[in-house]
Amino acid sequence: MKFNTRLLHGRAVKRYADGSTLPQIAQANAFQYDSAEELDRVFHHRAPGYAYSRVANPTVAAFEQRINEMDGGSGAVACSSGMAAITLTLLNFLRSGDELIVSGGLYGGSIALFESLAKFGIAVKYVRCMTQEEIGALISGRTRAIFGEVLSNPSLEIMNIREVADLAHRNGLPFIVDATTVTPYLVNPIVWGADIVVHSTTKYITGSGDAIGGAIIDGGRFDWDFDKFRGLEAYRNFGKAAYAVKLRTETLENMGSCMAPMTAFLNVIGLETLGLRMERICGNAKALAEALNEIPELHVNYPLLTGNPCGELALKQLNGQGGGVLTFRAGSRENAYRIINGLKYAVRATSIGDTRTLVIHPESTLYIRSTREQREIAGVFDDTVRVSVGIEDAGDLIDDFIGAIRG
Ligand code: PLP
C-alpha cells in the first residue's frame, strides 16, 4: 500500500462500533465494569480495557495506532501538545546530571524548554550543525541522548538522519527527532535510524489549525543499557520495550499531559488527508519560494532553491520535497512589517501547517525569549519573515506576496 491508501486502509484503520468508519468520540473520563474483580484486572493490565482517560482512551488509542503505523513505530503515545511530547520524551529517561546534545536551529519553544530542564540539572549542549564532527566533539560520559529537528523550524536545515543515528548508536545513545515539519509523508525517521520520533500534531497532522496536540512514537529497537540509563532501571525486565512501558504507565500517567478525545478525533480526520495536503503545500511552497527568489532585494531560504546546501539531502531523504515553510529576509524590520501588513490572503498568525498560509515576523514574536546567538543560529534576524504555506492556489499566493512586496 502506498501512503494515501495506507492512511485510509492500513492495519490501524478499524471498523469501529456500529460499523462507523471513524472512531467514536469517547468523551468520558472513566470507564465502568460489572465487578471489582474486573476493575482490579484492568488496573493491573491483566485484562484489556480502559480505566481512566488520563492513561488511555479509545479515541486517543485509535489515533495512536494510526500515527504509529504511518511512522513505522512499535508503539505511540499521544499527548496534549508538541511541547508535552518533547517534555515527556525526555523526562521519561533523563535524570539530573545527564547531558543532551541538540541542534541549535530549533523551534524557539524547544530551546526555552531546554533552559527549564537545565534548572533541574539536565544540561544541554548545542551544535550549530548536526554533523558527526560537531556532535562527536561534544559527547561525554554524561551524554544520554541526541535530539534535533529533521527539517528545522525556521532555519530550514535538513539533518542527515542516518549519519547522526550511526554516531549516536556507536556511542550507545538514543537519537530522538522532532519530525513536526516533515510528517510521515516526507520521511519516516525510524527507517533511517532514529529511535524516537516526536510530532506537534497541532501543525500538519490535524492540519486545519483546529487543535493543539502531540505524539511520541517509539521505534522499539534501541538497546537500553539499564546501568547507564538509570531512569529506566525499574523497567529492565521489559528490555527494548522499557521506554514505551514507562512512558505510558508512569510518565504520561504522572505528568498528566494526555490528549483530549475530541483532539484525537480531529487528528484522525486530519491524518486521513495528510498526503493530499502535504503534496499541495510542498508544491505551493516551492512555487512561492522560486517566485520570491526572482526578486533581487529578498534573500529567500527554501531547501529546494538552487545552491541551497540542503538540496541534496531533500532529494535523498525527503522524497525530493522541501517542506511547507520558507523564510525570506526583507532588508529591514520596517520592510518586513510592511510586506506582512500588505498581504491579502496570507494570515498574520503564529503556527505552521494550517490549510491557510500563515505569515509571521519571528524575531518579535516566537524568539522573544531567545538570545541573539540563539536567534542567529535559528536564522532569525530583525528582517526575517516566516511563511507557512497553505493549500490556496499557487498563482493567487504568488500574486499576493508580489503585490505586498511591490506595495
Ligand atoms: N516542534 C516544532 C518543530 C514546532 O514548530 C512546534 C510549534 O511550533 C512545537 C514542537 C511545539 O508544538 P505545540 O505548539 O503543539 O506545543
Side-chain angles (χ1 to χ4, degrees):
M1 263 188 269
K2 299 238 171 25
F3 191 84
N4 289 304
T5 313
R6 196 149 34 97
L7 283 172
L8 297 163
H9 303 286
R11 265 179 294 114
V13 181
K14 309 253 162 64
R15 196 163 179 271
Y16 301 99
D18 302 323
S20 169
T21 53
L22 288 166
Q24 320 250 321
I25 305 169
Q27 196 66 47
N29 53 15
F31 299 82
Q32 59 178 324
Y33 290 88
D34 288 337
S35 67
E37 287 79 4
E38 270 182 85
L39 258 176
D40 175 330
R41 281 194 290 276
V42 170
F43 263 74
H44 285 90
H45 308 292
R46 290 197 198 104
Y50 298 92
Y52 193 55
S53 288
R54 169 152 50 76
V55 186
N57 169 283
T59 322
V60 178
F63 170 62
E64 289 170 339
Q65 286 155 13
R66 290 188 185 209
I67 186 71
N68 182 57
E69 177 174 1
M70 296 315 293
D71 258 328
S74 68
V77 162
C79 33
S80 55
S81 67
M83 291 313 302
I86 301 172
T87 307
L88 296 181
T89 296
L90 298 175
L91 294 187
N92 195 45
F93 71 108
L94 293 179
R95 294 166 26 129
S96 175
D98 289 348
E99 284 176 6
L100 191 63
I101 299 177
V102 310
S103 60
L106 290 176
Y107 165 61
S110 302
I111 297 175
L113 166 67
F114 296 141
E115 278 166 20
S116 299
L117 292 183
K119 294 180 194 144
F120 293 92
I122 296 168
V124 177
K125 293 179 174 171
Y126 293 92
V127 290
R128 195 167 256 278
C129 255
M130 289 294 270
T131 60
Q132 289 201 345
E133 297 67 37
E134 276 198 48
I135 299 168
L138 293 185
I139 293 178
S140 76
R142 288 172 177 267
T143 309
R144 291 294 176 270
I146 299 172
F147 176 92
E149 287 170 16
V150 177
L151 168 62
S152 54
N153 169 25
S155 61
L156 304 181
E157 277 161 33
I158 301 174
M159 69 158 83
N160 188 323
I161 304 173
R162 184 153 286 152
E163 273 188 28
V164 182
D166 286 350
L167 174 76
H169 298 155
R170 281 202 301 280
N171 287 277
L173 301 170
F175 179 33
I176 304 164
V177 300
D178 179 334
T180 300
T181 50
V182 285
T183 79
Y185 178 73
L186 293 190
V187 63
N188 282 135
I190 290 170
V191 171
W192 292 78
D195 300 296
I196 295 158
V197 173
V198 295
H199 294 287
S200 162
T201 65
T202 312
K203 316 297 179 188
Y204 297 98
I205 290 175
T206 48
S208 299
D210 51 13
I212 300 279
I216 306 165
I217 297 96
D218 181 16
R221 287 187 312 226
F222 188 72
D223 214 351
W224 299 96
D225 170 351
F226 298 103
D227 297 323
K228 176 170 163 181
F229 295 95
R230 303 279 303 283
L232 292 175
E233 211 178 358
Y235 294 81
R236 187 183 280 273
N237 289 346
F238 293 97
K240 288 185 181 171
Y243 184 90
V245 174
K246 181 177 177 192
L247 185 63
R248 168 79 59 193
T249 61
E250 185 179 324
T251 310
L252 174 72
E253 182 166 347
N254 291 352
M255 307 245 167
S257 36
C258 55
M259 180 174 274
M262 182 65 196
T263 302
F265 181 72
L266 293 172
N267 272 303
V268 167
I269 297 176
L271 200 55
E272 294 194 343
T273 57
L274 179 70
L276 274 183
R277 284 183 288 105
M278 286 306 280
E279 188 181 346
R280 171 75 167 212
I281 285 172
C282 292
N284 278 358
K286 182 166 182 277
L288 182 62
E290 283 169 352
L292 296 181
N293 205 31
E294 296 289 314
I295 302 173
E297 306 90 72
L298 300 183
H299 290 281
V300 185
N301 185 15
Y302 186 68
L304 298 187
L305 289 178
T306 313
N308 188 300
C310 293
E312 209 177 300
L313 269 177
L315 288 180
K316 198 167 108 185
Q317 210 178 245
L318 305 188
N319 260 330
Q321 310 268 21
V325 176
L326 64 92
T327 64
F328 61 85
R329 295 189 64 181
S332 67
R333 174 192 299 269
E334 292 68 34
N335 209 29
Y337 278 25
R338 187 187 61 76
I339 296 170
I340 291 173
N341 293 340
L343 290 161
K344 278 192 309 204
Y345 304 135
V347 173
R348 286 160 287 275
T350 189
S351 201
I352 57 172
D354 205 310
T355 43
R356 56 218 108 224
T357 296
L358 307 177
V359 67
I360 199 161
H361 179 256
E363 194 236 26
S364 59
T365 54
L366 305 166
Y367 281 80
I368 47 179
R369 287 183 290 164
S370 307
T371 63
R372 173 190 275 258
E373 198 198 350
Q374 286 168 339
R375 286 200 291 263
E376 286 185 6
I377 295 178
V380 173
F381 301 90
D382 67 350
D383 63 341
T384 304
V385 175
R386 186 186 75 182
V387 186
S388 167
V389 181
I391 62 170
E392 298 92 341
D393 290 299
D396 287 339
L397 274 183
I398 293 170
D399 288 349
D400 194 16
F401 276 84
I402 303 285
I405 291 161
R406 301 251 182 266

